[in-house]
């Protein structure tokens, strides 16, 4: 196998030669630098590379090209080399248009022309592209095979678990020819209970309707701690938890992060986050999560998956958590970053259809099945808007159903503008879902106009719900002080009007910021009372919590 390829595409010969020259000067020893003058020419080159069995590490494409622009080319290139990293070359005058167009393709960076000096403006970007490609790997992936039913809650949950943990798998319907072959080979009756979904590992091991913990163990995810005692336990793997893990581990603390399902939380399900510092062209929640997870592991943090904390333990100076199986881990300090869950939609028939066309959060694994269909998205915050943009690329029509009178009160301006420019997205304000109907799967949704009381039936096979935020804090009841909605109180919010400290507080000081009613137990992110529900603030609180852990340990 030859050297990995760095491919640059630009219809301006002088620019094409210049970028190829700069790339060879820095990367020529380890990579083969190729250039093309048009999108079609570059695609022909990629096909030849594919036939030879060589790898492509990164592709840099000019935004403005005749025949096929940079966005169209990168979209086609993804089909040939999905793991190659992608960057868009653009002139300053086209920056806004390029950023808007980037929403169509999952691009890693954009570069302004000219990029002089390359040591400051070109090489750092290409270094990041190569590092990401090397971390993800481009060797043949031995995929897990999953056989199940299209509208089966168990099948959906398993696929969603694998996707959110970035475990490669191939999906087969039980009634497809390949699905039937796999079932027959495994001597599995698809009509028998506890058989579907069926999982076949690359080693040929067959798992019938496995639990998340069993599946995690088989696919190589860590589920058991390596130690009994740590410096800090972080509960929750969303942006706040990952931020805390990165900073704690990088500063030498023995760190373990406990996650019930998959790192990333709600942010990890976002199709594109565009208002996060340092990503002017946006970043998908999955990309951001993957980078943060790898960063935490690089510094030595342990990440445990499929472990649900069910009790907060306080024993002398030790703080710890107990899991559902009765096992415990302890530490000097605990950071709670459990986030929130979407509230259940109150509509007739919805419970029977959850997982059968009705989903909470952005179920990206269902995107291909939405092709040509009408999709309903419920909610008015950023997560709902991002989902509407994402599913508009697959569905024939997307209805964004919002209870409020407008989007301005709950959604970022940039996202409102995007939605207004997408032809197949319809925003319906002052509207609620009153019923979900269907035999075995969602087939119709009844929408109610809250002003007129009129009921509108909509033929839709998919409904994605993004309403409200319920804190995941029931397991802390009786140990920590929470507000009326269940969010955890911290810092000065714990003090009475007369400055009195919370009941049971045994430290000779007031609680630190982010410190809960138990000294040494901190809270960060959406689960904290009065927190700002944004990714950046959650990451910041996670980092700040680690600073306060240091203060606690030295006090």
């Amino acid at each position: 196998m030859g050297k990995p390829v760095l491919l640059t595409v630009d219809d301006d010969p002088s620019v094409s030669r210049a970028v190829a020259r700069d790339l060879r000067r820095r990367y020529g020893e380890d990579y083969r630098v190729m250039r093309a003058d048009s999108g079609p020419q570059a695609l022909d080159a990629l096909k030849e590379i594919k036939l030879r069995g060589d790898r492509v590490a990164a592709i840099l494409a000019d935004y403005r090209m005749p025949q096929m622009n940079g966005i169209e080319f990168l979209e086609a290139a993804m089909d040939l080399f999905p793991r190659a990293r992608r960057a868009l070359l653009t002139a300053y005058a086209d920056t806004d248009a390029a950023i808007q167009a980037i929403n169509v393709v999952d691009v890693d960076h954009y570069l302004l022309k000219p990029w002089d000096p390359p040591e400051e403006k070109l090489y750092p970007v290409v270094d990041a592209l190569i590092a990401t490609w090397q971390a993800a790997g481009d060797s043949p992936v031995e995929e897990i095979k999953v056989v199940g039913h299209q509208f089966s809650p168990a099948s959906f949950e398993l696929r969603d678990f694998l996707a959110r943990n970035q475990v490669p798998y191939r999906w087969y319907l039980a009634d497809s020819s390949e699905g039937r072959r796999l079932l027959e080979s495994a001597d599995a009756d698809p009509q028998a209970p506890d058989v579907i979904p069926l999982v076949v590992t690359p080693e040929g091991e067959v798992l019938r309707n496995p639990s998340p913990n069993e599946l995690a163990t088989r696919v190589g995810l860590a589920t058991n701690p390596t130690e009994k005692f740590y410096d800090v336990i972080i509960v929750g793997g969303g942006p706040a938890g990952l931020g805390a893990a990165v900073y704690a581990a990088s500063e030498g603390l023995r760190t373990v992060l406990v996650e019930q399902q998959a790192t990333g939380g709600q942010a990890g399900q976002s199709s594109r986050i565009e208002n996060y510092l340092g990503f002017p062209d946006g970043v998908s929640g999955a990309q951001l999560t993957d980078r943060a997870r790898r960063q935490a592991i690089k510094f030595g943090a342990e990440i445990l998956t499929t472990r649900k904390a069910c009790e907060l333990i306080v024993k002398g100076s030790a703080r710890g958590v107990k899991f559902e199986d009765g096992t415990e881990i302890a530490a000097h300090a605990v950071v709670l970053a459990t986030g929130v869950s979407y509230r259940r939609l109150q509509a007739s028939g919805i419970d029977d259809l959850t997982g059968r066309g009705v989903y909470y959060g952005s179920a990206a694994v269902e995107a291909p099945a939405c092709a040509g269909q009408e999709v309903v998205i419920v909610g008015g915050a950023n997560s709902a808007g991002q989902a509407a943009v994402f599913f508009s690329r697959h569905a024939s029509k997307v209805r964004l159903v919002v209870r409020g009178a407008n989007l301005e009160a709950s959604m970022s301006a940039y996202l409102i503008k995007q939605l207004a420019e997408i032809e197949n997205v319809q925003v319906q304000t002052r509207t609620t879902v009153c019923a979900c109907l269907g035999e075995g799967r969602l087939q119709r949704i009844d929408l109610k106009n809250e002003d007129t009381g009129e009921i509108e039936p909509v033929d839709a096979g998919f409904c994605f719900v993004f309403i409200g935020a319920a804190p995941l804090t029931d397991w802390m009841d009786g140990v920590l002080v929470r507000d009326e909605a269940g969010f955890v109180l911290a810092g000065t919010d714990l003090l009475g009007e007369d400055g009195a400290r919370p009941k049971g507080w045994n430290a000779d000081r007031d609680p630190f910021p982010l410190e809960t009613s138990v000294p040494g137990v901190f809270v960060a992110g959406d689960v904290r009372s009065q927190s700002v529900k944004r990714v950046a603030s959650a990451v910041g609180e996670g980092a700040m919590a680690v600073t306060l852990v240091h203060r606690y340990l030295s006090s």
Side-chain angles (χ1 to χ4, degrees), residues 17 136 140 159 321 376 383 416 443 453 455 500 535:
R17 287 193 296 270
R159 294 166 60 206
V321 294
V376 173
S383 53
I416 296 174
Q443 295 170 315
I455 303 297
V535 173

Side-chain angles (χ1 to χ4, degrees), residues 45 53 74 99 238 249 303 394 402 438 440 449 457 465 468:
L74 289 174
I99 292 174
I303 296 180
H394 303 272
V402 184
N449 185 305
V465 182

Side-chain angles (χ1 to χ4, degrees), residues 284-336:
S284 72
Q287 280 184 314
L288 188 63
T289 296
D290 180 57
R291 293 177 184 184
R293 180 187 57 79
R294 288 191 285 109
Q295 196 173 13
I297 292 173
K298 179 186 78 171
F299 288 125
E302 286 184 39
I303 296 180
L304 307 183
T305 309
T306 69
R307 299 309 298 264
K308 182 178 180 180
C310 62
E311 185 180 344
L312 185 62
I313 300 171
V314 180
K315 292 182 178 179
S317 62
R319 307 288 183 262
V321 294
K322 178 182 286 187
F323 300 123
E324 282 187 314
D325 62 1
T327 60
E328 302 176 8
I329 53 174
H332 293 299
V334 170
V335 175
L336 302 171

Side-chain angles (χ1 to χ4, degrees), residues 19 22-23 25-27 60 87-90 92 109-129:
V19 68
D22 288 341
L23 290 176
R25 186 168 59 189
R26 173 89 168 212
Y27 307 102
L60 286 71
L88 199 64
L89 301 172
T90 181
Y92 182 80
H109 293 277
Y110 75 88
L111 279 164
L112 289 176
K113 298 186 293 184
W115 51 85
D116 187 57
E119 288 77 12
E120 295 181 10
K121 298 183 178 180
L122 175 65
Y123 296 152
V125 171
V126 178
D127 285 346
L129 295 174

Side-chain angles (χ1 to χ4, degrees), residues 99-371:
I99 292 174
Q100 292 296 323
I102 280 169
N103 290 309
V104 179
V105 177
D106 198 7
V107 175
D108 297 283
H109 293 277
Y110 75 88
L111 279 164
L112 289 176
K113 298 186 293 184
W115 51 85
D116 187 57
E119 288 77 12
E120 295 181 10
K121 298 183 178 180
L122 175 65
Y123 296 152
V125 171
V126 178
D127 285 346
L129 295 174
I130 290 174
T132 303
W133 175 78
Q134 289 175 333
D138 199 23
S139 56
V141 177
E142 293 184 317
E143 295 174 325
I144 291 170
K145 299 179 179 66
V146 179
V147 183
H149 300 301
Q150 177 67 60
F151 294 100
S152 158
S155 295
F156 163 73
E157 289 170 6
L158 187 146
R159 294 166 60 206
D160 189 56
F161 175 82
L162 291 174
R164 292 181 61 188
N165 282 287
Q166 302 191 17
V167 177
Y169 73 93
R170 189 173 294 277
W171 164 247
Y172 301 94
L173 291 173
D175 56 0
S176 68
S177 57
E178 184 65 13
R180 287 193 294 267
R181 186 189 68 78
L182 288 170
L183 289 167
E184 290 172 3
S185 299
D187 294 323
D189 180 1
Q191 303 306 320
D194 297 326
V195 170
I196 298 292
L198 183 96
V199 176
V200 182
T201 69
E203 296 77 25
E205 183 182 8
V206 176
L207 308 176
R208 292 170 169 80
N209 191 21
S211 68
N213 186 267
E214 180 184 6
L215 183 60
T217 302
R218 294 297 195 280
V219 300
L221 299 174
T223 60
N224 295 309
T226 60
E227 300 183 35
K228 287 291 185 180
F229 198 90
Y230 296 84
D231 291 320
V232 61
I233 299 168
I234 300 165
V235 186
L242 287 169
V246 167
Y247 282 93
S250 68
E251 293 171 9
L253 296 178
R254 290 172 299 165
T255 304
V256 61
L257 184 150
V258 178
E259 169 55 45
Q260 183 176 344
Q261 185 177 21
T263 52
Q266 289 185 7
Q269 295 179 281
S270 175
S271 56
R272 182 162 294 276
I273 301 168
E274 296 189 63
N275 57 354
Y276 188 69
L277 183 68
F279 292 89
D281 50 355
V283 61
S284 72
Q287 280 184 314
L288 188 63
T289 296
D290 180 57
R291 293 177 184 184
R293 180 187 57 79
R294 288 191 285 109
Q295 196 173 13
I297 292 173
K298 179 186 78 171
F299 288 125
E302 286 184 39
I303 296 180
L304 307 183
T305 309
T306 69
R307 299 309 298 264
K308 182 178 180 180
C310 62
E311 185 180 344
L312 185 62
I313 300 171
V314 180
K315 292 182 178 179
S317 62
R319 307 288 183 262
V321 294
K322 178 182 286 187
F323 300 123
E324 282 187 314
D325 62 1
T327 60
E328 302 176 8
I329 53 174
H332 293 299
V334 170
V335 175
L336 302 171
T338 51
V340 295
S341 64
Y342 292 114
R343 296 190 187 278
R344 310 302 287 183
L345 185 63
Q346 301 301 311
S348 173
I350 194 168
D351 290 342
D352 292 337
L353 296 172
T354 299
R356 294 184 169 92
V358 177
Y359 306 96
Y360 288 87
S362 182
V365 294
E366 296 297 332
C370 295

Side-chain angles (χ1 to χ4, degrees), residues 443-497:
Q443 295 170 315
R444 196 185 90 192
I445 299 173
D446 286 349
L447 302 179
K448 179 182 179 181
N449 185 305
E450 292 296 311
D451 293 327
T452 66
E454 180 182 353
I455 303 297
E456 178 188 4
V458 175
D459 293 329
F462 294 89
C463 177
F464 301 93
V465 182
F466 302 82
I467 58 170
L472 306 174
T473 59
D474 289 348
W475 61 283
M476 307 171 197
D477 191 29
V479 181
L480 300 182
V481 177
R482 300 177 294 160
D483 64 17
E484 293 181 355
F487 292 91
V488 178
L489 292 170
T492 57
D493 291 338
L494 289 165
L495 303 179
E497 293 182 0

